[in-house]
Amino acid sequence: MRESTPVKASRRARRLLPLGLLVVAAASGACARNAPQDTLSPEGPIARQLDNLFNPVVAVAAVFFFLVQGLVLFAAIRFRRRSEDEAPRQIHGNVKLEIAWTAIPALILAVVGIATVVTIWDLNKIDKSAEVLNVTVTGHQWWWEYEYPDLGVVTANELYIPTGTRVELKLKSDDVIHSFWPPKLAGKVDVIPGRTNTMAIEANNPGEFEGQCAEFCGISHSRMRLRVIAQAPENFEAWVQDQKRKQPAPAPGTAGDVAEGAALFQSRGCAGCHTVAGYTQGEVGPNLTHLFDRETFAGSIFELNSINLRRWLRDPQEEKPGNKMVLPVPLTEDEITKLIAYLETLK
């Protein structure tokens, strides 16, 4: 017996249901109210150049995607077999069509390729007459170090820049391949051991822009984040002057948790890895001279406060597996309290 039309329609609907759910899931996953790493919302001239290249390419790709998919669906429906005895009509090609569908994609790819090369050359062009800020970025497992060679400042994880100024970054790695990616200000550039790559960023307005390492670099790759903090030029200059201040140790004979914490910083090995200008000189971990001027720590994964510092000092490996901060003997709660008291003075 032949199936009735409603039954056929019901079966067809059931077959299309998974496809519909997939489309809904994809559409909902593409929507976000708060997207701090949205590459489609450029906040500077360099990111805007990339956006101006990306948008027309996606538009052309979308047109041809729907055109091709539409033709495929049309052919599948229009020329489907309607009976067991029906056979498709045999054809042997169409020269004009074959030339067209070869020439048109080749022409489109040529236009896209030329536009891409021109944009790359323009982004890497250095205007020696313009004022630029030079910063050396070093990738570590798993945090970022920033050195301002012309200003005598070294800091970590939070990159401060002035608005309206082109910032030239020299990218180096201390261990494995990383990738520096501040999506609202620029694209991605690999950070490779033994090689110096370059990129430029620039922000139009003050603000904080999140980013991350975009190249798998080990067990805590997902915890290697970064923040670019753009400030008005006068505020940036004040920040630079503040960063140049040294942090001498508490005066001899000083009592209290701060002094005892400073002594623990030396005796428990912190000084062997971390620099506090005027007090210790370490080259393994982040520079802590002005630690509490920052808003985050540990590769920008934790908000900087005493609660999170206590968690970190109890067991750094639990909070960020594989990092180089290894405590041969765990700190007591009293020692942690005193160390935090000292660290809170580093402003």
Side-chain angles (χ1 to χ4, degrees):
M1 296 180 63
R2 292 186 178 181
E3 292 181 324
S4 64
T5 302
V7 172
K8 289 182 178 179
S10 176
R11 285 194 173 183
R12 195 175 295 119
R14 285 199 298 271
R15 290 172 184 165
L16 292 175
L17 180 60
L19 178 60
L21 292 175
L22 181 62
V23 171
V24 171
S28 61
C31 300
R33 285 183 144 183
N34 179 27
Q37 293 184 205
D38 185 0
T39 59
L40 304 180
S41 299
E43 296 286 349
I46 295 167
R48 192 160 291 109
Q49 277 184 275
L50 296 173
D51 194 59
N52 291 339
L53 175 65
F54 176 81
N55 288 335
V57 171
V58 169
V60 172
V63 168
F64 278 90
F65 172 81
F66 287 109
L67 175 62
V68 171
Q69 295 304 312
L71 290 172
V72 169
L73 289 174
F74 171 77
I77 296 171
R78 173 68 179 80
F79 301 105
R80 71 189 185 279
R81 188 172 67 171
R82 291 174 171 79
S83 72
E84 294 295 331
D85 300 326
E86 185 178 5
R89 185 167 61 90
Q90 301 301 308
I91 60 174
H92 300 283
N94 185 305
V95 175
K96 292 180 180 179
L97 278 178
E98 290 175 2
I99 292 175
W101 65 49
T102 301
I104 292 173
L107 180 62
I108 293 172
L109 288 174
V111 172
V112 171
I114 292 171
T116 301
V117 171
V118 169
T119 302
I120 290 173
W121 278 103
D122 194 42
L123 289 175
N124 287 279
K125 182 173 60 180
I126 298 176
D127 184 359
K128 295 185 178 179
S129 63
E131 180 183 358
V132 300
L133 174 66
N134 294 302
V135 181
T136 299
V137 179
T138 304
H140 302 268
Q141 289 179 311
W142 289 270
W143 58 283
W144 299 99
E145 180 181 13
Y146 305 116
E147 180 184 1
Y148 300 73
D150 302 328
L151 303 176
V153 171
V154 178
T155 186
N157 297 316
E158 297 178 356
L159 175 62
Y160 281 76
I161 64 172
T163 56
T165 299
R166 184 181 175 95
V167 182
E168 299 282 351
L169 304 179
K170 291 184 177 180
L171 304 170
K172 302 179 179 181
S173 174
D174 185 51
D175 34 56
V176 299
I177 298 177
H178 303 283
S179 184
F180 193 81
W181 183 42
K184 290 197 173 186
L185 300 179
K188 305 173 185 176
V189 174
D190 280 353
V191 185
I192 302 172
R195 177 174 176 175
T196 299
N197 286 341
T198 60
M199 72 181 297
I201 62 173
E202 184 175 343
N204 289 331
N205 302 303
E208 298 182 3
F209 308 101
E210 296 183 18
Q212 66 184 66
C213 174
E215 181 75 30
F216 181 71
C217 54
I219 189 172
S220 283
H221 160 68
S222 64
R223 296 175 174 88
M224 187 173 178
R225 302 171 194 170
L226 62 94
R227 298 169 77 238
V228 179
I229 301 173
Q231 298 180 312
E234 60 273 17
N235 293 337
F236 175 75
E237 182 59 33
W239 176 82
V240 170
Q241 295 306 317
D242 187 61
Q243 294 297 304
K244 289 182 177 181
R245 288 187 300 104
K246 294 186 177 182
Q247 301 280 17
T254 304
D257 286 353
V258 172
E260 292 184 44
L264 284 168
F265 193 85
Q266 290 275 11
S267 64
R268 292 306 302 267
C270 310
C273 294
H274 297 282
T275 291
V276 176
Y279 184 43
T280 67
Q281 186 67 40
E283 298 181 353
V284 177
N287 187 306
L288 302 182
T289 305
H290 298 283
L291 173 64
F292 265 81
D293 274 349
R294 305 170 196 163
E295 297 182 12
T296 60
F297 73 104
S300 286
I301 62 173
F302 296 122
E303 180 182 350
L304 183 54
N305 56 49
S306 59
I307 295 174
N308 287 336
L309 265 180
R310 184 173 293 276
R311 286 174 53 198
W312 176 261
L313 292 172
R314 279 179 185 149
D315 192 348
Q317 296 302 316
E318 173 67 22
E319 303 301 330
K320 194 170 187 178
N323 78 85
K324 294 181 181 179
M325 186 168 170
V326 179
L327 302 176
V329 180
L331 295 164
T332 67
E333 290 299 310
D334 182 59
E335 288 175 326
I336 291 174
T337 298
K338 292 172 180 176
L339 274 171
I340 291 174
Y342 169 63
L343 293 173
E344 287 176 339
T345 69
L346 304 181
K347 300 179 181 179

